[in-house]
Amino acid sequence: DISDVVPKDDMASMEHPVFSLSTKPDNRTRRYEHNDSVIEIIPSGKGLATIHDKDVLIYCISQIMAAINKGQKVSKIVRLKAFDLLKATNRPSDGRGYSGLRSALARLQGTQIETNIVTGDVEQLDIFSIIDRARIVRETRDGRMQEIEVQLSDWVFNAIQAHEVLTLHRNYFRLRKPLERRIYEIARKHCGSKKEWKISLSALQDKCGSASTSREFKRLV
């Protein structure tokens, strides 16, 4: 029952700008360094995975964490109903929704990451995709997906097994602007139970992965 599953997000991608804020195809290779952590995000021909594409990842993480909390055996492979994902993440469930989901899966699989960021005490030194693969298990005659199988990367699955995840407010999926989502993620990761957390605008821009000018970013914030 999707209403019983609490949205969960992995802390590594909340901390670092893995996902693009652009609403148009983003073909930039991005590199972000903070303290001893380095992450390079490399797009495929379809562009970088976006903050809205991350809905798929959040949904999969949430399902696995719910199963772990119930004492069930889990694996990197998640099988889900496309309609459930669309409804749970506040996406349209018409043809546009299914088309957008197909594109999101392609960008998530195509976006490559090279990093030394540790998840679950395991350091990945190779280049890997956000998800290893996605497969449409059933498809209706009009081309709409019914069931999807997603295989998460070791990097993401290690974080889940180590419980390096945080709960998101359900209204996260009602935030439409990419920057709104990204700022919420950063605040959720850094504030925790504290009443406040301070960061400079320039550091916030780096953490958001924004390609705007300083002046434009200030206006957007």
Side-chain angles (χ1 to χ4, degrees):
D1 185 350
I2 59 171
S3 64
D4 291 338
V5 175
V6 179
K8 301 281 187 180
D9 200 353
D10 73 287
M11 290 193 279
S13 68
M14 293 174 79
E15 167 77 15
H16 307 285
V18 175
F19 294 88
S20 172
L21 301 184
S22 178
T23 54
K24 298 177 181 178
D26 187 347
N27 295 302
R28 298 174 301 137
T29 294
R30 290 190 290 134
R31 183 179 176 88
Y32 174 76
E33 298 183 28
H34 180 68
N35 296 330
D36 295 327
S37 297
V38 178
I39 186 166
E40 190 167 62
I41 306 102
I42 306 155
S44 69
K46 294 182 180 294
L48 293 170
T50 71
I51 195 79
H52 287 287
D53 296 342
K54 192 182 183 183
D55 290 354
V56 177
L57 197 63
I58 292 172
Y59 187 81
C60 289
I61 292 171
S62 306
Q63 296 293 325
I64 293 176
M65 284 305 303
I68 288 173
N69 292 334
K70 291 177 181 177
Q72 297 173 0
K73 187 177 180 180
V74 297
S75 75
K76 293 193 300 179
I77 298 174
V78 184
R79 183 174 283 200
L80 50 93
K81 290 185 173 67
F83 179 80
D84 289 350
L85 187 154
L86 293 173
K87 295 300 288 184
T89 55
N90 199 40
R91 286 168 170 254
S93 55
D94 57 10
R96 291 177 302 123
Y98 287 92
S99 175
L101 181 53
R102 184 190 290 267
S103 297
L105 291 168
R107 285 189 293 267
L108 286 166
Q109 199 285 321
T111 298
Q112 302 280 299
I113 296 175
E114 184 174 5
T115 183
N116 65 347
I117 296 169
V118 175
T119 59
D121 294 325
V122 176
E123 185 173 8
Q124 295 282 116
L125 297 175
D126 56 336
I127 298 175
F128 57 95
S129 298
I130 298 173
I131 62 174
D132 285 347
R133 67 175 177 84
R135 184 170 67 180
I136 299 169
V137 183
R138 292 181 185 173
E139 190 167 358
T140 57
R141 289 182 180 179
D142 61 358
R144 295 187 184 185
M145 292 173 274
Q146 290 185 331
E147 288 189 4
I148 309 169
E149 204 170 77
V150 177
Q151 182 171 319
L152 301 178
S153 66
D154 289 338
W155 195 65
V156 173
F157 194 64
N158 289 339
I160 296 171
Q161 290 187 305
H163 288 243
E164 294 171 357
V165 299
L166 289 174
T167 299
L168 302 181
H169 195 285
R170 291 184 186 276
N171 284 343
Y172 168 83
F173 297 114
R174 297 187 182 278
L175 298 175
R176 301 314 307 165
K177 294 180 181 177
L179 185 59
E180 290 176 336
R181 290 189 171 205
R182 184 66 189 126
I183 288 179
Y184 170 80
E185 275 192 327
I186 294 169
R188 176 69 185 88
K189 168 67 173 63
H190 288 279
C191 286
S193 58
K194 295 184 295 184
K195 290 187 176 180
E196 68 175 36
W197 171 73
K198 296 182 180 180
I199 186 172
S200 67
L201 267 180
S202 60
L204 180 63
Q205 182 169 2
D206 288 341
K207 232 177 221 314
C208 286
S210 172
S212 302
T213 63
S214 299
R215 184 174 180 178
E216 175 64 7
F217 182 76
K218 182 177 181 179
R219 186 191 71 80
L220 290 170
V221 170

